[in-house]
């Protein structure tokens, strides 16, 4: 399974497969892992269609319903599956919480003042670029390749599914956290990819309606 994934990977994806440490979920999906500071993260977005007890996840769609996107982007889930006690992640792992994301942001250099803010943060140090697998430059912007994916987090712009439509693929990564903000909303993280987007070097902490379908990253318990 791993060899097949590697052989079909693009040159950029080949960098992911240089990570040697892996973990399997209960379906046998293999994920590369990466240590960032004192945390161990999946270096790929979740692809599971089963909870840890073997029951079916209710969402978990592939972007554009295109099987070729499964290894590239992982699956998209609504927050109700993300927060389910049966746990989407491999055994010994959990869906990253808002606190987990804050610790990741501290580990890569975000100030304590910005960590606790809402909105776009970390732009001065280009922290958003440091989590992305790739970022294109533009007419008036140049991207330092040494900054992009500095921590081997390999975030990819899977976009989202909303109201039955797949949108923003190639333009945004949207990640759920395990934390609810209100009855209808939960806390998220966002990365922007369009070369003209003024926030492309930042990480957004915000809330979103729970019926959106976003990507999921897991962290070791």
């Amino acid at each position: 399974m791993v060899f097949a994934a590697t052989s079909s990977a693009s040159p950029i994806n080949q960098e992911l497969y240089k990570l040697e440490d892996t973990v399997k979920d209960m379906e046998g999906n293999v994920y590369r892992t990466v240590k960032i500071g004192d945390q161990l993260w999946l270096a790929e977005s979740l692809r599971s269609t089963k909870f840890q007890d073997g029951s079916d996840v209710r969402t978990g769609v592939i972007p554009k319903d295109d099987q070729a996107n499964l290894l590239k982007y992982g699956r998209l889930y609504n927050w109700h599956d993300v927060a389910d006690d049966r746990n989407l992640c491999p055994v010994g792992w959990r869906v990253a919480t808002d606190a987990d994301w804050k610790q990741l942001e501290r580990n890569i250099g975000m100030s304590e003042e910005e960590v606790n803010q809402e909105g776009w943060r970390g732009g001065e140090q280009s922290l958003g670029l440091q989590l992305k697998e790739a970022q294109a430059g533009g007419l008036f912007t140049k991207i330092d390749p040494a900054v992009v994916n500095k921590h081997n987090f390999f975030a990819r712009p899977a976009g989202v599914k909303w109201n039955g439509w797949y949108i923003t693929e190639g333009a945004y990564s949207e990640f759920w956290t395990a934390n609810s903000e209100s009855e209808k909303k939960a806390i998220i993280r966002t990365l922007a990819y369009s070369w003209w987007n003024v926030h492309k070097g930042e990480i957004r902490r915000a809330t979103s309606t729970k019926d959106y379908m976003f990507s999921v990253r897991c962290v070791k318990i």
Side-chain angles (χ1 to χ4, degrees):
M1 180 176 181
V2 176
F3 290 131
T6 304
S7 64
S8 63
S10 72
I12 293 177
N13 295 345
Q14 292 288 353
E15 294 301 311
L16 172 64
Y17 291 96
K18 291 180 181 178
L19 298 179
E20 297 182 352
D21 293 331
T22 62
V23 64
K24 287 184 181 182
D25 63 24
M26 64 89 57
E27 295 173 80
N29 293 307
V30 178
Y31 305 92
R32 264 57 188 180
T33 69
V34 61
K35 189 171 185 181
I36 303 175
D38 55 355
Q39 297 174 303
L40 191 62
W41 286 79
L42 293 190
E44 306 175 65
S45 290
L46 198 65
R47 302 191 295 274
S48 178
T49 63
K50 303 282 187 183
F51 292 109
Q52 286 184 7
D53 67 357
S55 57
D56 291 335
V57 174
R58 290 154 292 193
T59 54
V61 298
I62 303 171
K64 300 284 181 68
D65 297 318
D66 183 349
Q67 192 68 25
N69 282 333
L70 179 59
L71 284 175
K72 182 178 181 181
Y73 290 132
R75 295 180 181 271
L76 305 175
Y77 305 87
N78 71 23
W79 188 82
H80 303 289
D81 280 337
V82 167
D84 196 295
D85 289 340
R86 290 172 290 180
N87 197 341
L88 285 168
C89 295
V91 174
W93 296 68
R94 65 168 178 251
V95 175
T97 64
D98 184 44
D100 292 327
W101 277 94
K102 285 182 179 181
Q103 188 58 43
L104 171 65
E105 291 159 347
R106 291 185 186 98
N107 288 340
I108 66 175
M110 188 176 288
S111 70
E112 197 63 30
E113 179 182 4
E114 282 196 300
V115 159
N116 292 300
Q117 291 177 359
E118 295 184 354
W120 293 97
R121 309 115 70 232
E124 186 174 343
Q125 307 107 306
S126 297
L127 299 185
L129 297 182
Q130 294 183 29
L131 296 183
K132 297 177 188 177
E133 181 181 52
Q135 171 66 56
L139 295 175
F140 308 107
T141 58
K142 292 185 178 180
I143 302 298
D144 180 357
V147 174
V148 178
N149 205 33
K150 182 177 179 180
H151 306 284
N152 290 325
F153 193 77
F154 289 94
R156 298 171 177 169
V160 309
K161 189 173 186 180
W162 172 74
N163 201 26
W165 296 91
Y166 292 102
I167 57 175
T168 68
E169 181 184 328
Y172 290 96
S173 297
E174 304 274 12
F175 295 102
W176 284 120
T177 77
N179 293 92
S180 179
E181 176 69 14
S182 66
E183 181 181 352
K184 293 185 177 181
K185 292 187 175 184
I187 301 174
I188 66 169
R189 290 299 189 280
T190 305
L191 301 173
Y193 289 75
S194 300
W195 67 265
W196 45 260
N197 195 310
V198 296
H199 300 296
K200 61 184 172 293
E202 300 172 282
I203 305 168
R204 184 176 71 142
R205 179 173 178 255
T207 61
S208 184
T209 306
K210 293 175 179 178
D211 56 359
Y212 272 81
M213 295 188 195
F214 290 166
S215 300
V216 170
R217 286 294 180 103
C218 302
V219 66
K220 190 79 166 66
I221 296 173

